[in-house]
Amino acid sequence: MATVKAVMGNLTVAERQVLTAVNSGASSLSFVGSGFIVLCYLLFKELRKFSFKLVFYLALSDMCCSFFSIIGDPSKGFFCYAQGYTTHFFCLASFLWTTTIAFTLHRTVVRHKTDVEDLEPMFHLYVWGTSGVMTVIRSIANNHEHLSRLGTWCWAQTGHTGKVVHFITFYAPLWGAILFNGVTYFQVIRMLNNATRMAVGMSERSYQPDPRSDMKALNRWGYYPLILIGSWFFGTINRIHDVIEPGHKIFWLSVLDVGMAQLMGLFNSIAYGLNSSVRRAIYERLDLLPEWSQRWLPKSSKSRGQQQDSELVSLKIQDQQ
């Protein structure tokens, strides 16, 4: 991944091998998880709704980023640069797609707008355009005399200017996306909590809902910004440390940097992709299997398949009730 190219530094050969193994293993898990969501979208027609289409684009970006991270440094100049460009581009696109999901949820639930599908062309222009511009800026600003190929990664910028450009073209959009998602989901959760309290207060019944189940359903959205924070917190600390002490690498921090960053695709596929709609589509297909094979399936699969859809836009219905 383009943002973890500079973690090798002066590490020993054995430590570099460990980082290479962590990179390959974590990237493989993300590739499988993201590929599973992409496959579900392509196979199950009932999932091809606008809200899940955004998740599909997110998973596709994660899958491409993981794939190019796995292939490593082909030790050829052109292919090395190509790997650096693609990983940087698709990783940027990944967390930019999370902002479109947060924006869609906010526009649907808080602002009560129904025109989110009309904004899809703008979403594509925003995500792919921003990713392309940031990648081009970094490639132009790179001092190719300071480029190095470390282990399985390309495009490691060892010069001071390159490190500054790296922060501007990657970590600035990253933490901007984290801030935007955090504020957006906070407003959505607050809106739904207020609507729930008003509905209970206006009800003539004395029924009191279980606050734990309500908070579990609502606060699930609040966990989404934590994915980006958890995936890139150690990478951010490692980049700052590299600027302060460029000649000294902390091995355990580099391991956490590489491992958590490469697992972002897996985290996204679980949090965004494995919702009740996907599970229900899978369980419906499993019901078509012969009876003898269904004995090996969990008994709760059928009941889980009947759970209510948790599409992003379904929250609007929940808010209006």
Side-chain angles (χ1 to χ4, degrees):
M1 191 173 294
T3 57
V4 293
K5 307 298 188 296
V7 298
M8 292 294 195
N10 57 351
L11 299 177
T12 65
V13 175
E15 290 173 339
R16 294 188 181 195
Q17 291 177 347
V18 171
L19 287 177
T20 300
V22 172
N23 169 72
S24 300
S27 298
S28 299
L29 291 175
S30 291
F31 180 81
V32 172
S34 302
F36 175 77
I37 300 303
V38 171
L39 188 63
C40 288
Y41 179 83
L42 297 177
L43 292 179
F44 304 147
K45 294 182 179 180
E46 61 267 33
L47 296 179
R48 298 175 190 174
K49 302 176 182 179
F50 178 73
S51 56
F52 199 78
K53 184 185 294 186
L54 298 180
V55 176
F56 164 73
Y57 293 136
L58 169 64
L60 185 63
S61 299
D62 285 330
M63 187 177 69
C64 293
C65 186
S66 300
F67 171 76
F68 288 107
S69 297
I70 294 172
I71 63 175
D73 182 359
S75 35
K76 298 292 183 179
F78 172 79
F79 295 102
C80 184
Y81 294 137
Q83 188 226 14
Y85 289 135
T86 50
T87 52
H88 190 266
F89 176 86
F90 285 112
C91 188
L92 277 169
S94 173
F95 56 74
L96 290 179
W97 277 119
T98 66
T99 63
T100 65
I101 295 175
F103 175 84
T104 299
L105 183 64
H106 182 274
R107 189 171 181 85
T108 303
V109 176
V110 178
R111 301 186 62 184
H112 306 286
K113 300 293 184 178
T114 59
D115 60 346
V116 288
E117 295 190 29
D118 298 333
L119 300 177
E120 183 178 355
M122 296 299 299
F123 288 166
H124 284 285
L125 179 62
Y126 156 68
V127 173
W128 305 123
T130 303
S131 301
V133 170
M134 293 295 104
T135 303
V136 170
I137 291 176
R138 186 181 179 188
S139 66
I140 294 176
N142 272 342
N143 186 348
H144 290 73
E145 294 180 357
H146 291 139
L147 287 177
S148 61
R149 303 174 193 171
L150 303 175
T152 60
W153 298 314
C154 300
W155 207 13
Q157 183 64 236
T158 58
H160 178 74
T161 302
K163 293 177 181 179
V164 173
V165 173
H166 188 187
F167 272 98
I168 295 175
T169 59
F170 187 86
Y171 285 96
L174 166 66
W175 286 99
I178 291 174
L179 179 62
F180 175 82
N181 290 350
V183 173
T184 299
Y185 285 119
F186 172 78
Q187 293 179 352
V188 171
I189 292 173
R190 184 178 62 179
M191 176 74 177
L192 294 178
N193 278 329
N194 292 338
T196 301
R197 294 191 190 98
M198 291 178 61
V200 173
M202 295 174 61
S203 176
E204 297 179 356
R205 297 173 298 177
S206 59
Y207 168 73
Q208 296 293 332
D210 184 1
R212 292 178 298 179
S213 61
D214 291 341
M215 291 305 298
K216 182 179 179 180
L218 298 180
N219 288 344
R220 178 173 178 264
W221 304 102
Y223 296 141
Y224 290 166
L226 298 180
I227 296 176
L228 287 178
I229 296 176
S231 297
W232 295 106
F233 173 79
F234 296 105
T236 304
I237 298 300
N238 205 15
R239 297 293 85 72
I240 296 175
H241 176 267
D242 185 50
V243 173
I244 298 175
E245 298 185 38
H248 177 65
K249 300 294 181 181
I250 303 177
F251 175 65
W252 64 266
L253 182 60
S254 298
V255 172
L256 292 174
D257 174 6
V258 174
M260 295 300 294
Q262 303 294 359
L263 287 174
M264 181 181 66
L266 178 64
F267 297 151
N268 284 336
S269 63
I270 294 175
Y272 289 94
L274 291 181
N275 54 34
S276 61
S277 300
V278 176
R279 294 194 300 268
R280 182 170 58 195
I282 295 175
Y283 292 141
E284 288 176 354
R285 270 64 178 185
L286 293 178
D287 289 338
L288 300 178
L289 295 175
E291 294 184 1
W292 62 268
S293 62
Q294 295 186 16
R295 293 182 300 177
W296 303 97
L297 300 177
K299 296 182 179 179
S300 59
S301 63
K302 185 175 182 180
S303 60
R304 290 178 181 177
Q306 302 299 325
Q307 290 180 352
Q308 185 175 356
D309 189 356
S310 64
E311 289 280 342
L312 296 180
V313 292
S314 69
L315 289 180
K316 179 183 177 183
I317 300 176
Q318 184 181 22
D319 178 54
Q320 292 176 341
Q321 290 179 347

